[in-house]
């Protein structure tokens, strides 16, 4: 016979023997039998204490003589709990909201900040949540606080303010991996608020204002340069026609008179007077 075919059979036999060894034993079966007999004797009064109702969003982990019954959770619906030998623990499978209080964190660039957040998680394995840890909700809450401080301590203030979503996804992955053995599934992590000292806020505001002023000066300098180029071209055009300069002069006076109703005194060019005098002599 092929030894590779014999090995699975041996493994199955070993598992069966191990299951029998891990059972409740002869004394355990005797106690369970007495418990059943007690239920039958006190029926129907005992039925009110043995039948338990498990809601749709709940699961029950039943312990019989200290061992988890069938290695899985029961429910929803009706379950039978034997007196004296059985006990059960209800586990809520709905999503739990965990508010992380403000944590004082020193960022990578030595800036003290206060950051708070919220974690949404749920229990996907009731047996693991009961058998692997004492208080699953308290442990998840403390782990969320520690993970938030550890992750944000490796980020600078600029990264913290600009990359909240990436940091939240990183915290979610770390929490999900750490709480997997507790039967927890982390659905979402959000960073609610980032508080920085007032002095740092003023320094950041002054820095932003200085950056805006520098940008405004650069824009104004570009405008002055473009205007000077246009004036240079206009002066070259006016230099070709002296009469055009006089017309521009008169146009400017007309514009000023239209905007402000006032008396304007301006010098009359000498060349115009000379031309008028020559015309009168000729006449």
């Amino acid at each position: 016979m092929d030894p590779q075919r014999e090995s699975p059979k041996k493994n199955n036999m070993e598992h069966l023997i191990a299951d029998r060894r891990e059972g409740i034993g002869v004394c355990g079966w005797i106690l369970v039998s007495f418990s059943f007999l007690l239920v039958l004797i006190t029926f129907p009064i005992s039925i009110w204490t043995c039948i338990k109702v498990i809601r749709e969003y709940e699961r029950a982990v039943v312990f019989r003589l200290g061992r988890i019954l069938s290695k899985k959770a029961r429910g929803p619906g009706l379950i039978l709990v034997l007196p004296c030998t059985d006990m059960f623990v209800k586990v809520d499978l709905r999503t739990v909201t965990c508010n992380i209080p403000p944590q004082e964190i020193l960022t990578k660039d030595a800036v003290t900040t206060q950051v708070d957040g919220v974690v949404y998680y749920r229990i996907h394995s009731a047996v693991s949540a009961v058998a692997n840890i004492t208080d699953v909700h308290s442990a998840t809450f403390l782990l969320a606080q520690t993970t938030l401080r550890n992750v944000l301590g490796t980020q600078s203030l600029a990264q913290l303010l600009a990359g909240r979503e990436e940091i939240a996804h990183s915290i979610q992955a770390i929490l999900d991996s750490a709480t997997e053995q507790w039967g927890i599934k982390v659905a979402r992590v959000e960073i609610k608020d980032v508080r920085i000292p007032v002095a740092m806020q003023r320094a950041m505001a002054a820095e932003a204002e200085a950056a805006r002023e520098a940008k405004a000066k650069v824009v104004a300098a570009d405008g002055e340069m473009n205007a000077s180029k246009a004036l240079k071209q206009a002066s070259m055009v006016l230099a070709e026609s002296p009469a055009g300069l006089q017309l521009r002069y008169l146009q400017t006076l007309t514009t000023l008179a239209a905007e402000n109703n006032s008396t304007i005194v301006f010098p009359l060019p000498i060349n115009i007077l000379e031309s008028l005098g020559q015309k009168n002599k000729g006449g």
Side-chain angles (χ1 to χ4, degrees), residues 28-88:
W29 285 112
I30 293 173
L31 292 176
V32 172
S33 301
F34 275 114
S35 182
F36 270 113
L37 182 60
L38 180 62
V39 171
L40 293 176
I41 293 173
T42 59
F43 187 83
I45 298 175
S46 61
I47 199 68
W48 300 107
T49 59
C50 295
I51 298 298
K52 304 296 180 181
V53 178
I54 306 300
R55 297 181 180 89
E56 182 68 30
Y57 54 84
E58 293 177 335
R59 295 296 182 270
V61 180
V62 181
F63 292 87
R64 177 163 293 172
L65 297 177
R67 295 180 179 273
I68 297 177
L69 190 62
S70 302
K71 303 298 181 182
K72 63 180 181 179
R74 301 296 183 88
L78 300 177
I79 63 172
L80 177 64
V81 179
L82 298 178
C84 302
T85 60
D86 292 359
M87 64 167 293
F88 73 100

Side-chain angles (χ1 to χ4, degrees), residues 98 100 116-121 144 147-148 164-176 186-192:
C98 175
I100 303 175
D116 57 352
V118 59
V119 178
Y120 301 92
Y121 68 92
T147 305
L148 180 67
R164 290 191 181 186
E165 293 185 2
E166 292 78 6
I167 296 174
H169 288 314
S170 177
I171 296 174
Q172 178 182 349
I174 295 173
L175 286 177
D176 199 16
V186 179
R188 191 177 182 86
V189 176
E190 291 291 342
I191 297 176
K192 293 168 58 177

Side-chain angles (χ1 to χ4, degrees), residues 156-167:
S156 64
L157 181 60
Q159 293 173 343
L160 177 59
L161 296 176
R164 290 191 181 186
E165 293 185 2
E166 292 78 6
I167 296 174

Side-chain angles (χ1 to χ4, degrees), residues 129-173:
V130 173
N132 292 347
I133 193 167
T134 304
D135 189 347
V136 64
H137 297 292
S138 177
T140 304
F141 174 70
L142 295 176
L143 182 62
Q145 292 186 23
T146 306
T147 305
L148 180 67
R149 288 196 296 267
N150 292 340
V151 172
L152 295 184
T154 61
Q155 307 291 327
S156 64
L157 181 60
Q159 293 173 343
L160 177 59
L161 296 176
R164 290 191 181 186
E165 293 185 2
E166 292 78 6
I167 296 174
H169 288 314
S170 177
I171 296 174
Q172 178 182 349

